[in-house]
Each structure stands twice: as structure tokens, then as C-alpha cells.
Amino acid sequence: MREPHALVTGAAGFIGSHLVDRLIDSGASVTGVDCFTDYYDPSLKRANLARAMTSPRFRLMELDLGAADLGALPEADVVFHQAAQAGVRASWGAEFAAYTHHNVLATQRLLERYRGAKLERFVYASSSSVYGDAERYPTAEDSVPRPFSPYGVTKLAGEHLALLYSRNFDLPVVALRYFTVYGPRQRPDMAFHRFARALLRGEPIVIYGDGCQSRDFTFIDDAIESNLRAWKHAAPQAVYNVGGGSQVEVLEAIRILERALGAKAELRFEPRPPGDPLRTRADAARIERDLGFRPATPIARGLEAEAEWARGLYAEARR
Ligand code: NAD
Ligand code: UGA
């Protein structure tokens, strides 16, 4: 039987690179697309792909989906669209242009490229940020989206674009709304990465607000599992929350990281930045019912894995 071919955009990023590894391990061949934006150090992205680059079943195409001729992208059985300008708090002011380019224009151009193609699924990486300060908790997929940051608006625009291409052209789109994903290779602008780095360097941890804000933090392996299930089992046009299964406050997560790294945090409190919701909590009923997906990694175990990875990363940097 022919091996399936997957196209992963944002392949060098945090989530995309884990997805690439998992797809290769499962026997697929993979084309990864990334333009190595400088939102964070591109050498971290090269490192994310180190294992994949040794596989004969992986090919990397370095191009900007928002600008390049996409005719060169291969036919595929499934597309996982992970590429985006991420980051909630940085999406104000002049930076917004990058968000519209990478999250809206790039998505529209990719959809045009695969419109009419024979895909099994086109999986769009959406975000809990489409809910913003949500109408209700836990938040179900049919809640009225009301983003709280410009980033959330662009992720919702991308999701709407993907779903309208699905309705107009039968592109089999599935949208996965991830809730704050963490684990090894987490982006350096995200909370747990910053906290672990500060603990390892003996620097203060900056907390926005009082630290009682909470997230439905989702471990990376669970986020990847949801993608594979979406490919194999989701109905076209379905939208799913992907949450970690519990609500954890930022201060609580810091206590767990302190234990994992054997260090005591010095806390510095700063005002809550605009765009930062106080709370996220996924209603997980739909994804459990339709895809049999249930997150498998409790926060303490997931944070230990991230702490272990961060220890390696920053020990290497000191050498
Ligand atoms: P990341 O920044 O680590 O990865 C995104 C990758 O996409 C980067 O390597 C970047 O270079 C690439 N990219 C950006 N624009 C591109 C373009 N125009 N052409 C080609 N490549 C491009 O981010 P991540 O945390 O891995 O997020 C992956 C996806 O998941 C994003 O769509 C993000 O919005 C979504 N998401 C992430 C989280 C989270 O907690 N990390 C939560 C919700 C949703
Ligand atoms: C994350 C991702 O960064 C977004 O790309 C994604 O779309 C979003 O999840 C989502 O779920 O949709 P965020 O929840 O802000 O966004 O993730 P973190 O950076 O891990 O922040 C978690 C909490 O820690 C936030 O309340 C933030 O204010 C707080 N934080 C962050 C601090 O207190 N200090 C820091 O140094 C960093």
C-alpha cells in the first residue's frame, strides 16, 4: 500500500515540528513548509526539525505562504495548516500587519492552492483565542466567538476562511481550537518556557496580573493526537476544542515548575497586558464524543517533561 503523504505548514515551529515527527513515525511521508520568521530565534526552529531532517521521508520547503508561488507545493492526502504568527500579547500596533499577512492572507492563499484538490482532510490550527473572554465556561464550540486580542481576530478570520472554502468547494476542512499548548519545544515567548528559563538562570519570573488567571493548558502530545484523529475520523466542517482537561492557575503552574527544577522563584508582578483573557476552559464533550479524544497528560507530568527539555536547552547554551 502507498504511504500517505502529509503537508505540514509551520513545520519548524513548536506544534508543527512535533506533528512532523509523529507523522514520520507513523509511516507517512511529509512535506514541511516554513519560512522561519524571526518572531523568535530561527535556530530554535532548525533544532526542532533536526530529527526530521535525517529521515528520507521528510522534505522541507522554505517559503512564505503569504507571498511565494504556491504552485510548487505537492499534491497531498492531508494538509495540516499550523503556520501562523502566534502570540496574543504582541498583536497590537504595527505588529498587526504581520498577523494579517501570516494568519489571514497566507491561509487564503493555501486554501486557493488546495481548492479542488483531492484531500482526505485539511486541518486548520485554530485557537481558544477566538473565544476571548468567553460568554460561558466551560466554553463549547457553538459559543459566540468574541476575540479579545487582534491575534484572536486573525485566527478567527483564518478559521472562517477555511470553513467557507469547505462549504463552497467541498474542501474537507476540520478546525481544531487548541487551548494554550505546552511541552518540549514550546515557543520562548510563552509562559512556561519563560518561567523555566528564569528558574534555571536564577532570574525573576514576571507575572502579569495577580497570577490567578487560568488556562486549560494542553500538553503537546495530546494536541498532536487530536490532529491525527481529526484527519482520520472528523467530519468535514467540524470545529473542535482541544483542551488539556483541567483548569490551572499560573501561580499553581509555577509551584509545579519549582519542584520539577529544584529552584525557588522570585516573583515580580506587572499589570495584566491588554488582550490577555483571565480564563480559558474547554468544553470537551464534542471531541470526546466524535473523535474519542481525551487528553492523557496531567499538568504535573507535562510540566516535568517541559522542565527536563528546558534544562537540556539552557545547559547547552551555557556550554
Ligand atoms: P510557532 O511560531 O512555533 O510555529 C509557527 C511556524 O509557522 C513558525 O515556525 C513560523 O516560521 C511559521 N510560519 C509563520 N508564517 C508563515 C508563512 N507565512 N509561511 C510559512 N511559514 C510560516 O507557533 P506554535 O505555537 O507552534 O503554533 C502553531 C499553530 O497553532 C499556530 O497556527 C497557532 O496560531 C496555533 N495555536 C497555538 C497555540 C499554542 O499554545 N502554542 C494555541 C492555540 C493555537
Ligand atoms: C497561548 C499561545 O501563545 C497562543 O498562540 C494561543 O493562540 C493561545 O495560547 C490559545 O490558547 O489560543 P497564552 O494563553 O497567552 O496564549 O499562553 P502563555 O504565553 O503560555 O500565557 C499563559 C498565561 O501566563 C497568560 O495569562 C499570561 O498572561 C501569563 N504569563 C505569560 C505571565 O504571567 N508571565 C509571562 O512571562 C508570560
Side-chain angles (χ1 to χ4, degrees), residues 1-5 26-29 57 77 120 231-232:
M1 215 174 67
R2 184 180 69 84
E3 66 195 17
H5 187 73
S26 74
S29 62
R57 279 188 280 112
D77 298 300
E120 290 170 15
W231 170 19
K232 295 295 181 189

Side-chain angles (χ1 to χ4, degrees), residues 9-21 34 40 44-45 48-49 82 86 178-190 192-193 218-221 223-224 306 309:
T9 73
F14 165 39
I15 299 174
S17 65
H18 281 282
L19 183 56
V20 166
D21 287 345
D34 208 294
Y40 62 90
L44 289 172
K45 302 182 186 184
N48 289 344
L49 278 182
Q82 307 291 318
Y178 306 144
F179 283 64
T180 313
V181 184
Y182 71 101
R185 304 183 192 164
Q186 194 186 37
R187 301 193 324 260
D189 61 307
M190 291 188 70
F192 295 167
H193 186 140
T218 309
F219 189 60
I220 182 67
D221 292 0
I224 299 310
E306 178 157 355
W309 165 79

Side-chain angles (χ1 to χ4, degrees), residues 113-287:
R113 164 64 186 85
Y114 285 101
R115 155 186 170 177
K118 281 199 174 27
L119 288 180
E120 290 170 15
R121 288 294 174 271
F122 182 110
V123 183
Y124 173 75
S126 189
S127 162
S128 75
S129 62
V130 304
Y131 298 124
D133 263 329
E135 290 195 298
R136 55 180 196 274
Y137 297 94
T139 310
E141 289 86 346
D142 57 5
S143 298
V144 176
R146 41 178 208 185
F148 193 52
S149 63
Y151 163 76
V153 169
T154 62
K155 291 303 291 182
L156 183 59
E159 185 186 293
H160 278 308
L161 277 166
L163 291 168
L164 72 84
Y165 271 74
S166 189
R167 293 195 298 275
N168 280 279
F169 306 113
D170 287 332
L171 194 69
V173 168
V174 180
L176 298 178
R177 292 177 175 168
Y178 306 144
F179 283 64
T180 313
V181 184
Y182 71 101
R185 304 183 192 164
Q186 194 186 37
R187 301 193 324 260
D189 61 307
M190 291 188 70
F192 295 167
H193 186 140
R194 293 171 73 130
F195 298 164
R197 185 177 53 207
L199 282 164
L200 287 162
R201 289 180 173 165
E203 291 168 359
I205 282 181
V206 174
I207 296 184
Y208 301 134
D210 61 6
C212 295
Q213 68 267 48
S214 61
R215 295 285 182 274
D216 200 333
F217 291 107
T218 309
F219 189 60
I220 182 67
D221 292 0
D222 289 324
I224 299 310
E225 178 65 26
S226 73
N227 274 275
L228 297 190
R229 286 179 190 238
W231 170 19
K232 295 295 181 189
H233 307 298
Q237 290 169 38
V239 176
Y240 291 111
N241 287 338
V242 180
S246 66
Q247 217 178 351
V248 178
E249 293 188 356
V250 162
L251 283 173
E252 206 180 322
I254 290 172
R255 299 293 164 239
I256 299 171
L257 269 176
E258 284 180 328
R259 281 197 296 279
L261 289 169
K264 182 90 191 100
E266 180 195 331
L267 304 182
R268 187 174 292 168
F269 291 87
E270 290 187 3
R272 182 161 79 110
D276 201 28
L278 275 177
R279 186 178 176 199
T280 66
R281 179 86 209 244
D283 181 329
R286 183 186 287 181
I287 193 165

